[in-house]
Amino acid sequence: MQKNPTIYKEQQELPTIQRVVSVLWPSFLVASLATVLFFSLFDPADLGRLAGYPELTRTGGYTIGFFAFWLMTAISCGMTCYFRKPVHRPRID
Amino acid sequence: MSATAGKKPTVDQEVENELYKKRQKIYPREVHGIFARMRTLAMIALLGIFYGLPWLQWNGHQAVLFDLPARKFYIFGLTFWPQDFIYLALLLIIAALSLFLFTALAGRLWCGYACPQTVWTEIFLWIERKVEGSRQQQIKLDKQPMSARKFRIKFTKHLIWILFSLWTGFTFVGWFTPIHELWNELIHFQLGPWETFWILFYGFATYGNAGWMREQVCIYMCPYARFQSAMFDKDTLLVAYDEKRGEPRGPRKKSANPRELGLGDCIDCTMCVQVCPTGIDIRDGLQYQCIGCAACIDICDDVMEKMNYPKGLVRYTTERALEGEHTHILRPRVIVYATLLLILFGALVYAIATRVPLELDILRDRNTLYNETDEGLIENVYTLKVVNMTNRPQKFKLDVEGLKDAKLIARSDLIEAPPGEVVSVPVRVQVDPENLPQPGNDIRFHLESLTQPGLETTEEGRFLGPRPEM
């Protein structure tokens, strides 16, 4: 009946904090790194001008850049977690 | 297996239940002793640097400022630009290697004394203790139903925490934008929206991590805690309980002789568990939750002293020493880490010491390959970008080299560049076609400061002309 109950159990019973953290935290770290690398190459003021927002400050550019990166990396982490779920769910009674 | 599971929980299940149970708040008991004093010292030094250094001025600017809005970093007398990214990369590699080295030598020294999570948690615990009282008082208070008194105490604690967090957020932003200006904006309610956002964001992170998450950050979030087992070996310094000496544990009278009772030195007072900020029992052996803060060493030494037993039942030791062998400090991995670190550190110092704070970029006019002047000379047009990375205004003299009788025509003889600025200089270079051996030639621009002798640089460019007539 239960081929590999531990995997299912793990998915169900990982502490919520660990599930949230495993998506938001690695993505945060990678987004920080990406932000540093990206903005040491590109000046957000230049990018803002090119994109048609000349009034965008650099601090604003960094902030938007960081959260855009975080959103992307968080989606990626979230999908990894989602696809880790076993396809054939054993029934637990 | 499922048949037995219903009646009596197996060891596996107990472990599992332990892992999945809801987190219970840990109330670390206050501890005094040599390691507690060292932790306090480290805390004061590190927080002093964090909250104090941004206010220090140096030659008319903030001594240490990673000025993100202006895209330049000031570190005392030095100014760094995005072009200097290599130094930052080198510095980060050095920091990572140092962590490896210290981990191999001394285990979780970083976690116990220097990690921001530990340091801020300590200060939050200190505030909590000042407001709510000792461990026992805190446990009692939390068990009580909500009352006016409980509300007042909790409210005070969170208010102090939040104010402290906001100050932390403000200081954090002050590392990246000039803090004196930031302060002026703050007291005149003129803070920019992004600055406000980051103050609140970092403040919230501090409040959440140090007030609520605490040891869970180390257990669930810290990548270092997970991969450090790779850097550990049997000679790594760690906090451990001397099982041979302590067991069998048990309570006894102070006057009793434990040997006659068949007991070891551990009196099972559970003080080591009560002081542990991550809520583990050090007597269960090595655990990845242990951040090596040595609180259990201090408290156990106190107890041993009261019992008139020798200290060090829980102590800093190594696995090898516990087995009765000698600890080796110099081991291959330590030597490799140390050598790499020395080389990289030397490279960084050399690179910074010989760094020329001047950059010259040459952009050729892309619209035309070349012009012919009325006198029959071949002319190329360039835009020079001169980056003055020093902290004072400079006057530069420009020359061209590499082509015979090349004439340099610029708007003025001298290029003036204010400190920390990029100046665009359009120039024309004219060469007699007889002196052009091929259609594409190398040309060198030499820039030399008249204000600061020795500050000079040479940059190579291309000079294009017609195909020479045979």
Side-chain angles (χ1 to χ4, degrees), chain B residues 13 27 80 113 219 267 272 307 370 373 383 425 433:
Chain B
Q13 274 175 327
Y27 304 86
F80 292 95
Y113 297 87
I219 295 169
I267 65 167
C272 53
M307 294 298 291
Y370 60 88
T373 64
T383 305
V425 190

Side-chain angles (χ1 to χ4, degrees), chain A residues 6 9-10 13-15 17-18 21 25 28-29 36-37 39-40 42-44 57-60 62-64 66-67 70, chain B residues 2 16-17 19-21 67-71 82-83 85 88 177 194-195 197-198 201 213 216-217 220-223 226:
Chain A
T6 46
K9 230 175 141 66
E10 186 193 338
E13 300 190 29
L14 265 184
I17 175 84
Q18 195 170 357
V21 153
W25 183 240
F28 176 88
L29 293 178
V36 171
L37 288 176
F39 286 118
S40 61
F42 302 103
D43 184 342
T57 60
R58 280 193 177 130
T59 317
Y62 295 130
T63 313
I64 292 169
F66 170 71
F67 280 98
W70 197 7
Chain B
S2 52
E16 233 167 59
N17 292 341
L19 280 172
Y20 298 136
K21 79 174 175 205
D67 198 341
L68 291 181
R71 289 178 75 76
Q83 290 92 331
F85 183 73
L88 184 67
T177 54
W194 302 110
E195 283 80 7
F197 168 78
W198 282 107
F201 187 79
M213 300 278 287
Q216 297 181 96
V217 173
Y220 298 122
M221 293 165 71
C222 180
R226 297 276 179 111

Side-chain angles (χ1 to χ4, degrees), chain B residues 7-286:
Chain B
K7 286 174 187 167
K8 205 179 165 195
T10 61
V11 177
D12 275 0
Q13 274 175 327
E14 269 176 38
V15 170
E16 233 167 59
N17 292 341
E18 174 74 19
L19 280 172
Y20 298 136
K21 79 174 175 205
K22 201 166 174 296
R23 181 223 180 201
Q24 285 178 343
K25 192 180 172 202
I26 293 164
Y27 304 86
R29 175 190 279 273
E30 195 178 4
V31 62
H32 302 279
I34 174 146
F35 297 112
R37 268 202 298 281
M38 278 165 64
R39 264 201 324 279
T40 311
L41 271 180
M43 186 178 91
I44 291 170
L46 292 168
L47 290 182
I49 290 173
F50 179 80
Y51 292 100
L53 198 54
W55 296 98
L56 186 70
Q57 294 290 112
W58 187 274
N59 283 342
H61 63 77
Q62 195 169 323
V64 178
L65 173 64
F66 304 105
D67 198 341
L68 291 181
R71 289 178 75 76
K72 44 190 150 175
F73 290 179
Y74 298 103
I75 299 171
F76 295 97
L78 295 168
T79 310
F80 292 95
W81 295 73
Q83 290 92 331
D84 295 316
F85 183 73
I86 180 80
Y87 299 108
L88 184 67
L90 210 55
L91 197 68
L92 289 178
I93 296 172
I94 288 176
L97 260 178
S98 316
L99 198 60
F100 291 176
L101 177 67
F102 282 113
T103 309
L105 277 176
R108 300 185 73 166
L109 216 52
W110 162 263
C111 303
Y113 297 87
C115 177
Q117 177 63 26
T118 309
V119 171
W120 268 308
T121 302
E122 288 245 335
I123 194 120
F124 271 62
L125 282 172
W126 181 79
I127 294 171
E128 189 167 57
R129 238 175 244 135
K130 290 282 162 214
V131 178
E132 290 191 1
S134 70
R135 171 187 149 93
Q136 292 309 327
Q137 289 166 314
Q138 288 177 29
I139 295 175
K140 214 175 123 194
L141 184 74
D142 281 357
K143 278 200 185 128
Q144 285 169 6
M146 185 51 80
S147 63
R149 180 179 162 272
K150 182 171 174 176
F151 181 79
R152 197 192 61 219
I153 293 176
K154 291 280 171 192
F155 181 81
T156 313
K157 177 180 85 173
H158 286 285
L159 185 70
I160 298 176
W161 276 1
I162 288 170
L163 288 176
F164 184 75
S165 300
L166 287 175
W167 183 243
T168 308
F170 172 81
T171 309
F172 175 76
V173 175
W175 280 82
F176 301 101
T177 54
I179 200 165
H180 286 274
E181 289 170 32
L182 200 66
W183 175 248
N184 274 329
E185 286 170 15
L186 181 74
I187 53 177
H188 294 114
F189 299 104
Q190 287 169 342
L191 269 183
W194 302 110
E195 283 80 7
T196 315
F197 168 78
W198 282 107
I199 290 174
L200 293 176
F201 187 79
Y202 198 83
F204 172 74
T206 311
Y207 172 74
N209 284 338
W212 293 96
M213 300 278 287
R214 297 195 176 165
E215 83 288 346
Q216 297 181 96
V217 173
C218 311
I219 295 169
Y220 298 122
M221 293 165 71
C222 180
Y224 172 62
R226 297 276 179 111
F227 70 68
Q228 62 187 334
S229 58
M231 289 171 280
F232 267 54
D233 55 30
K234 288 186 130 190
D235 294 300
T236 300
L237 195 69
L238 43 86
V239 177
Y241 163 69
D242 193 338
E243 206 176 319
K244 280 184 208 147
R245 198 188 127 188
E247 299 296 315
R249 64 184 83 153
R252 80 288 308 265
K253 285 203 177 100
K254 194 182 165 186
S255 52
N257 182 349
R259 303 294 164 262
E260 281 171 11
L261 296 168
L263 290 172
D265 278 357
C266 176
I267 65 167
D268 207 9
C269 61
T270 71
M271 281 298 207
C272 53
V273 183
Q274 295 181 30
V275 297
C276 182
T278 66
I280 56 168
D281 187 340
I282 192 73
R283 297 170 300 174
D284 293 343
L286 298 179

Side-chain angles (χ1 to χ4, degrees), chain B residues 446-466:
Chain B
H446 180 77
L447 193 66
E448 192 178 349
S449 169
L450 299 177
T451 356
Q452 189 175 330
L455 182 64
E456 55 184 315
T457 186
T458 307
E459 197 61 39
E460 208 154 87
R462 298 288 283 166
F463 188 94
L464 302 184

